[in-house]
Amino acid sequence: MNTPTTASASPYGTLPPASPLPQRRPVSLPRLQQLREAGEKITMLTAYDATFAAVADAAGVECLLVGDSLGMVCQGLPSTVGVALETMRYHTESVARGLHRVQGTAWLIADLPYGSYAESREQALRSACVLMQAGAHMVKLEGGGWTAPTVEFLVQRGIPVCAHLGLTPQTVHALGGYRVQGKSDEAAATLRRHAQELQDAGAAMLVLEMVPAQLAAALTTELQHCHTIGIGAGRGTAGQVLVLHDMLGVNLGKNPKFVHNFMQDAGSVLGAMQAYVQAVKSGAFPDDALHAW
Ligand code: KIV
Protein backbone atom coordinates (compact mmCIF):
# COMPACT_ATOMS: atom_id res chain seq x y z
CA MET A 1 0.00 0.00 0.00
CA ASN A 2 1.28 3.48 -0.82
CA THR A 3 1.58 5.71 2.22
CA PRO A 4 2.07 9.43 1.98
CA THR A 5 5.65 10.47 2.79
CA THR A 6 4.57 13.52 4.76
CA ALA A 7 1.50 14.11 6.86
CA SER A 8 0.70 17.29 4.91
CA ALA A 9 0.93 15.75 1.40
CA SER A 10 -1.97 16.92 -0.73
CA PRO A 11 -3.09 16.21 -4.29
CA TYR A 12 -4.11 19.83 -4.72
CA GLY A 13 -0.77 21.58 -4.96
CA THR A 14 -0.27 22.65 -1.37
CA LEU A 15 1.56 25.96 -1.23
CA PRO A 16 4.75 25.93 0.83
CA PRO A 17 4.65 27.84 4.13
CA ALA A 18 7.30 30.35 3.16
CA SER A 19 8.95 31.69 0.04
CA PRO A 20 12.32 30.11 -0.84
CA LEU A 21 13.50 33.71 -1.21
CA PRO A 22 13.10 34.96 2.38
CA GLN A 23 16.10 37.21 1.92
CA ARG A 24 14.37 39.31 -0.72
CA ARG A 25 13.00 42.62 0.49
CA PRO A 26 9.39 43.31 -0.49
CA VAL A 27 9.32 44.82 -3.94
CA SER A 28 8.08 48.41 -3.73
CA LEU A 29 8.26 51.52 -5.90
CA PRO A 30 11.47 52.73 -4.16
CA ARG A 31 12.97 49.24 -4.62
CA LEU A 32 12.13 49.30 -8.35
CA GLN A 33 13.75 52.75 -8.62
CA GLN A 34 16.85 51.34 -6.91
CA LEU A 35 17.03 48.46 -9.38
CA ARG A 36 16.68 50.95 -12.20
CA GLU A 37 19.45 53.18 -10.87
CA ALA A 38 21.69 50.15 -10.36
CA GLY A 39 21.12 49.20 -14.01
CA GLU A 40 19.47 45.91 -13.02
CA LYS A 41 16.65 44.80 -15.29
CA ILE A 42 13.18 44.47 -13.77
CA THR A 43 11.42 41.14 -14.34
CA MET A 44 7.67 40.74 -14.74
CA LEU A 45 5.40 37.83 -15.65
CA THR A 46 1.67 37.57 -15.83
CA ALA A 47 -0.05 35.51 -13.13
CA TYR A 48 -3.67 34.52 -12.83
CA ASP A 49 -3.88 32.15 -9.88
CA ALA A 50 -2.46 31.49 -6.41
CA THR A 51 -0.11 28.61 -7.23
CA PHE A 52 1.63 30.09 -10.28
CA ALA A 53 1.95 33.39 -8.41
CA ALA A 54 3.70 31.63 -5.51
CA VAL A 55 6.04 29.78 -7.88
CA ALA A 56 6.90 32.99 -9.79
CA ASP A 57 7.65 34.73 -6.51
CA ALA A 58 9.89 31.85 -5.48
CA ALA A 59 11.67 32.10 -8.84
CA GLY A 60 12.59 35.71 -8.09
CA VAL A 61 10.23 37.48 -10.48
CA GLU A 62 9.88 41.02 -9.13
CA CYS A 63 6.51 42.05 -10.58
CA LEU A 64 3.42 39.95 -11.24
CA LEU A 65 0.80 41.28 -13.61
CA VAL A 66 -2.76 40.01 -13.41
CA GLY A 67 -3.17 40.84 -17.07
CA ASP A 68 -6.49 40.98 -18.84
CA SER A 69 -4.77 38.51 -21.19
CA LEU A 70 -6.48 36.10 -18.80
CA GLY A 71 -9.51 36.57 -21.02
CA MET A 72 -7.64 34.81 -23.80
CA VAL A 73 -5.53 32.27 -21.88
CA CYS A 74 -7.96 31.37 -19.07
CA GLN A 75 -11.41 32.19 -20.41
CA GLY A 76 -10.88 31.33 -24.09
CA LEU A 77 -12.09 34.69 -25.37
CA PRO A 78 -10.99 35.90 -28.81
CA SER A 79 -9.53 39.13 -27.36
CA THR A 80 -9.27 41.00 -24.05
CA VAL A 81 -12.32 43.12 -24.88
CA GLY A 82 -14.75 40.75 -23.16
CA VAL A 83 -13.03 40.71 -19.75
CA ALA A 84 -15.16 42.00 -16.88
CA LEU A 85 -13.97 43.97 -13.86
CA GLU A 86 -15.41 41.26 -11.60
CA THR A 87 -13.24 38.66 -13.36
CA MET A 88 -10.16 40.83 -12.81
CA ARG A 89 -11.12 41.20 -9.15
CA TYR A 90 -11.47 37.42 -8.75
CA HIS A 91 -8.07 36.65 -10.29
CA THR A 92 -6.32 39.53 -8.48
CA GLU A 93 -7.64 38.22 -5.18
CA SER A 94 -6.46 34.68 -6.03
CA VAL A 95 -2.95 35.87 -6.93
CA ALA A 96 -2.74 38.09 -3.83
CA ARG A 97 -3.87 35.18 -1.66
CA GLY A 98 -1.20 32.93 -3.21
CA LEU A 99 1.50 35.51 -2.48
CA HIS A 100 0.24 36.01 1.04
CA ARG A 101 0.27 32.23 1.71
CA VAL A 102 3.99 32.00 0.88
CA GLN A 103 4.92 35.37 2.37
CA GLY A 104 5.66 36.49 -1.16
CA THR A 105 7.37 39.77 -1.87
CA ALA A 106 6.45 40.48 -5.50
CA TRP A 107 4.89 43.77 -6.60
CA LEU A 108 1.35 43.04 -7.79
CA ILE A 109 -0.17 44.91 -10.73
CA ALA A 110 -3.72 44.38 -12.00
CA ASP A 111 -5.17 45.42 -15.35
CA LEU A 112 -8.15 47.73 -15.48
CA PRO A 113 -10.22 45.93 -18.10
CA TYR A 114 -11.98 47.27 -21.18
CA GLY A 115 -14.82 49.64 -20.36
CA SER A 116 -13.83 50.13 -16.72
CA TYR A 117 -11.96 53.46 -16.96
CA ALA A 118 -12.79 55.30 -20.21
CA GLU A 119 -16.08 56.86 -19.15
CA SER A 120 -14.71 59.26 -16.54
CA ARG A 121 -11.91 59.68 -14.02
CA GLU A 122 -14.43 58.81 -11.30
CA GLN A 123 -15.28 55.54 -13.03
CA ALA A 124 -11.55 54.77 -13.26
CA LEU A 125 -11.14 55.48 -9.54
CA ARG A 126 -14.06 53.21 -8.61
CA SER A 127 -12.67 50.39 -10.78
CA ALA A 128 -9.12 50.88 -9.48
CA CYS A 129 -10.40 50.69 -5.87
CA VAL A 130 -11.98 47.29 -6.61
CA LEU A 131 -8.60 45.93 -7.76
CA MET A 132 -6.61 47.60 -4.97
CA GLN A 133 -9.00 46.13 -2.39
CA ALA A 134 -8.53 42.72 -4.02
CA GLY A 135 -4.80 43.01 -3.23
CA ALA A 136 -3.19 44.88 -6.14
CA HIS A 137 -0.36 47.35 -5.41
CA MET A 138 -0.78 49.13 -8.75
CA VAL A 139 -3.27 49.24 -11.61
CA LYS A 140 -2.50 49.27 -15.32
CA LEU A 141 -4.45 51.02 -18.04
CA GLU A 142 -3.97 51.24 -21.79
CA GLY A 143 -3.55 54.17 -24.11
CA GLY A 144 -2.05 57.65 -24.33
CA GLY A 145 -3.29 61.23 -24.65
CA TRP A 146 -6.73 61.06 -23.06
CA THR A 147 -5.46 58.75 -20.30
CA ALA A 148 -2.98 61.25 -18.78
CA PRO A 149 -5.62 63.16 -16.71
CA THR A 150 -6.99 59.81 -15.49
CA VAL A 151 -3.52 58.67 -14.44
CA GLU A 152 -2.97 61.96 -12.58
CA PHE A 153 -6.36 61.62 -10.85
CA LEU A 154 -5.53 58.10 -9.61
CA VAL A 155 -1.94 58.91 -8.60
CA GLN A 156 -3.09 61.97 -6.64
CA ARG A 157 -5.39 59.65 -4.72
CA GLY A 158 -2.58 57.28 -3.81
CA ILE A 159 -3.05 54.64 -6.48
CA PRO A 160 0.17 53.75 -8.31
CA VAL A 161 -0.36 53.46 -12.06
CA CYS A 162 1.34 51.53 -14.83
CA ALA A 163 0.55 52.82 -18.32
CA HIS A 164 0.61 50.75 -21.53
CA LEU A 165 1.50 52.10 -25.00
CA GLY A 166 2.29 50.64 -28.41
CA LEU A 167 0.13 47.63 -29.21
CA THR A 168 -2.74 48.08 -26.77
CA PRO A 169 -4.80 44.87 -26.99
CA GLN A 170 -8.04 46.47 -25.74
CA THR A 171 -8.06 48.60 -28.92
CA VAL A 172 -7.02 45.80 -31.27
CA HIS A 173 -10.05 46.42 -33.49
CA ALA A 174 -9.20 50.11 -33.92
CA LEU A 175 -5.54 49.24 -34.58
CA GLY A 176 -6.47 46.69 -37.25
CA GLY A 177 -4.78 43.71 -35.59
CA TYR A 178 -1.80 42.78 -33.45
CA ARG A 179 0.80 44.86 -35.29
CA VAL A 180 4.00 46.72 -34.46
CA GLN A 181 3.25 50.33 -33.46
CA GLY A 182 5.33 53.52 -33.74
CA LYS A 183 7.05 52.59 -37.00
CA SER A 184 6.56 55.87 -38.91
CA ASP A 185 8.21 59.11 -37.75
CA GLU A 186 4.78 60.55 -37.00
CA ALA A 187 3.62 57.53 -34.98
CA ALA A 188 6.91 57.48 -33.07
CA ALA A 189 6.59 61.19 -32.23
CA THR A 190 3.03 60.66 -30.94
CA LEU A 191 4.14 57.70 -28.83
CA ARG A 192 7.02 59.77 -27.41
CA ARG A 193 4.66 62.63 -26.53
CA HIS A 194 2.17 60.28 -24.89
CA ALA A 195 4.92 58.59 -22.86
CA GLN A 196 6.22 61.93 -21.60
CA GLU A 197 2.69 63.03 -20.65
CA LEU A 198 2.12 59.79 -18.75
CA GLN A 199 5.37 60.20 -16.80
CA ASP A 200 4.41 63.83 -16.04
CA ALA A 201 0.99 62.59 -14.84
CA GLY A 202 2.77 60.32 -12.37
CA ALA A 203 2.76 56.89 -14.04
CA ALA A 204 5.53 54.92 -12.34
CA MET A 205 5.72 52.21 -14.98
CA LEU A 206 5.02 51.94 -18.69
CA VAL A 207 4.52 48.73 -20.62
CA LEU A 208 5.72 49.12 -24.21
CA GLU A 209 4.28 46.40 -26.41
CA MET A 210 5.41 45.70 -29.98
CA VAL A 211 7.36 48.91 -30.42
CA PRO A 212 10.60 49.15 -32.47
CA ALA A 213 13.61 48.43 -30.23
CA GLN A 214 15.33 51.71 -31.06
CA LEU A 215 12.28 53.77 -30.10
CA ALA A 216 11.78 51.81 -26.85
CA ALA A 217 15.43 52.31 -25.90
CA ALA A 218 15.21 56.06 -26.58
CA LEU A 219 12.03 56.31 -24.50
CA THR A 220 13.72 54.45 -21.65
CA THR A 221 16.51 57.03 -21.58
CA GLU A 222 13.97 59.86 -21.64
CA LEU A 223 11.80 58.45 -18.86
CA GLN A 224 13.95 58.22 -15.76
CA HIS A 225 11.05 58.05 -13.27
CA CYS A 226 8.74 55.83 -15.23
CA HIS A 227 10.17 52.36 -15.74
CA THR A 228 9.64 50.99 -19.23
CA ILE A 229 8.73 47.31 -19.33
CA GLY A 230 9.02 45.82 -22.78
CA ILE A 231 7.17 43.03 -24.51
CA GLY A 232 8.35 42.84 -28.09
CA ALA A 233 10.19 46.14 -27.60
CA GLY A 234 13.81 44.97 -27.56
CA ARG A 235 16.44 44.77 -24.86
CA GLY A 236 16.81 48.50 -24.18
CA THR A 237 13.86 48.83 -21.77
CA ALA A 238 14.18 48.95 -17.98
CA GLY A 239 12.48 45.57 -17.66
CA GLN A 240 10.66 42.81 -19.51
CA VAL A 241 7.30 41.09 -19.29
CA LEU A 242 5.91 37.95 -20.92
CA VAL A 243 2.56 36.23 -20.73
CA LEU A 244 2.96 33.15 -18.52
CA HIS A 245 1.38 30.69 -20.97
CA ASP A 246 3.58 31.96 -23.82
CA MET A 247 6.85 31.57 -21.92
CA LEU A 248 5.80 28.10 -20.71
CA GLY A 249 5.08 27.04 -24.29
CA VAL A 250 1.43 26.18 -23.73
CA ASN A 251 0.14 28.61 -26.34
CA LEU A 252 -1.42 26.31 -28.95
CA GLY A 253 -1.52 29.08 -31.54
CA LYS A 254 1.43 30.64 -33.32
CA ASN A 255 3.66 32.43 -30.82
CA PRO A 256 4.54 36.03 -31.62
CA LYS A 257 8.18 36.57 -32.57
CA PHE A 258 9.01 38.22 -29.23
CA VAL A 259 8.20 35.08 -27.20
CA HIS A 260 10.76 32.56 -26.05
CA ASN A 261 9.68 29.19 -24.68
CA PHE A 262 11.65 28.93 -21.40
CA MET A 263 10.08 25.56 -20.57
CA GLN A 264 11.76 23.64 -23.35
CA ASP A 265 15.14 23.50 -21.58
CA ALA A 266 13.82 23.56 -18.00
CA GLY A 267 12.74 20.59 -15.93
CA SER A 268 9.94 22.41 -14.18
CA VAL A 269 7.80 25.52 -14.16
CA LEU A 270 9.98 26.91 -11.36
CA GLY A 271 13.06 26.18 -13.49
CA ALA A 272 11.53 27.92 -16.52
CA MET A 273 10.74 31.01 -14.49
CA GLN A 274 14.22 31.04 -12.94
CA ALA A 275 15.71 30.77 -16.43
CA TYR A 276 13.57 33.72 -17.55
CA VAL A 277 14.72 35.84 -14.59
CA GLN A 278 18.33 34.92 -15.26
CA ALA A 279 18.06 35.63 -19.01
CA VAL A 280 16.45 39.04 -18.48
CA LYS A 281 18.91 40.05 -15.75
CA SER A 282 21.92 39.00 -17.82
CA GLY A 283 20.63 40.69 -20.97
CA ALA A 284 20.45 37.38 -22.86
CA PHE A 285 16.68 37.84 -23.35
CA PRO A 286 15.37 39.39 -25.44
CA ASP A 287 17.79 39.05 -28.33
CA ASP A 288 17.02 41.97 -30.63
CA ALA A 289 18.00 39.94 -33.70
CA LEU A 290 15.30 37.35 -32.88
CA HIS A 291 12.66 38.95 -30.69
CA ALA A 292 12.39 42.59 -31.74
CA TRP A 293 11.69 44.94 -34.62
O1 KIV B 1 -2.77 41.62 -20.28
C1 KIV B 1 -1.56 41.37 -20.32
O2 KIV B 1 -1.10 40.26 -20.06
C2 KIV B 1 -0.66 42.45 -20.67
C3 KIV B 1 0.75 42.08 -21.03
C4 KIV B 1 0.78 41.59 -22.43
C5 KIV B 1 1.70 43.19 -20.80
O3 KIV B 1 -1.04 43.57 -20.71
Side-chain angles (χ1 to χ4, degrees):
M1 190 175 87
N2 283 338
T3 47
T5 47
T6 64
S8 63
S10 155
Y12 305 128
T14 311
L15 295 174
S19 165
L21 283 175
Q23 74 283 9
R24 185 167 84 170
R25 280 181 280 162
V27 180
S28 59
L29 288 179
R31 178 73 191 131
L32 292 172
Q33 184 70 36
Q34 270 177 1
L35 290 178
R36 178 83 187 274
E37 282 164 16
E40 186 173 333
K41 298 282 182 186
I42 298 166
T43 55
M44 186 189 294
L45 280 179
T46 63
Y48 315 107
D49 70 22
T51 304
F52 279 93
V55 176
D57 190 88
V61 178
E62 275 116 11
C63 303
L64 297 184
L65 168 66
V66 185
D68 59 358
S69 50
L70 64 82
M72 296 165 89
V73 299
C74 300
Q75 294 181 281
L77 294 170
S79 75
T80 61
V81 173
V83 178
L85 180 61
E86 171 52 23
T87 308
M88 293 306 302
R89 188 203 60 74
Y90 171 88
H91 285 273
T92 302
E93 208 170 68
S94 302
V95 167
R97 213 180 282 130
L99 287 178
H100 183 70
R101 288 267 302 277
V102 298
Q103 296 158 26
T105 53
W107 178 251
L108 180 53
I109 306 157
D111 261 338
L112 284 166
Y114 182 83
S116 74
Y117 57 96
E119 199 177 299
S120 65
R121 299 178 309 176
E122 289 74 13
Q123 185 209 21
L125 178 61
R126 276 194 303 278
S127 303
C129 287
V130 169
L131 300 181
M132 297 299 280
Q133 288 183 328
H137 302 133
M138 173 180 243
V139 296
K140 178 162 84 59
L141 52 77
E142 296 185 5
W146 69 272
T147 54
T150 303
V151 169
E152 189 170 23
F153 192 74
L154 297 180
V155 171
Q156 281 174 347
R157 282 153 185 79
I159 299 179
V161 178
C162 174
H164 185 152
L165 292 176
L167 186 276
T168 44
Q170 291 175 12
T171 41
V172 63
H173 300 306
L175 295 175
Y178 296 93
R179 311 156 182 261
V180 185
Q181 303 295 311
K183 283 207 298 195
S184 69
D185 288 349
E186 195 189 343
T190 304
L191 215 141
R192 259 186 147 112
R193 178 165 48 78
H194 286 168
Q196 191 62 54
E197 287 167 0
L198 288 162
Q199 173 172 269
D200 294 346
M205 243 184 233
L206 169 63
V207 167
L208 290 172
E209 183 164 356
M210 292 182 75
V211 167
Q214 235 186 341
L215 174 60
L219 279 170
T220 303
T221 308
E222 285 164 23
L223 305 176
Q224 282 303 312
H225 299 287
C226 179
H227 314 311
T228 56
I229 307 292
I231 173 163
R235 63 199 302 276
T237 50
Q240 297 291 329
V241 59
L242 281 179
V243 167
L244 176 69
H245 294 56
D246 289 347
M247 60 84 71
L248 291 181
V250 290
N251 179 348
L252 292 180
K254 189 173 175 290
N255 262 334
K257 138 178 181 170
F258 56 78
V259 170
H260 177 74
N261 177 351
F262 285 89
M263 192 65 187
Q264 66 198 355
D265 297 319
S268 64
V269 170
L270 177 65
M273 290 179 178
Q274 285 169 328
Y276 168 72
V277 170
Q278 223 270 324
V280 172
K281 296 275 182 199
S282 69
F285 178 81
D287 177 344
D288 282 0
L290 299 174
H291 306 119
W293 288 272

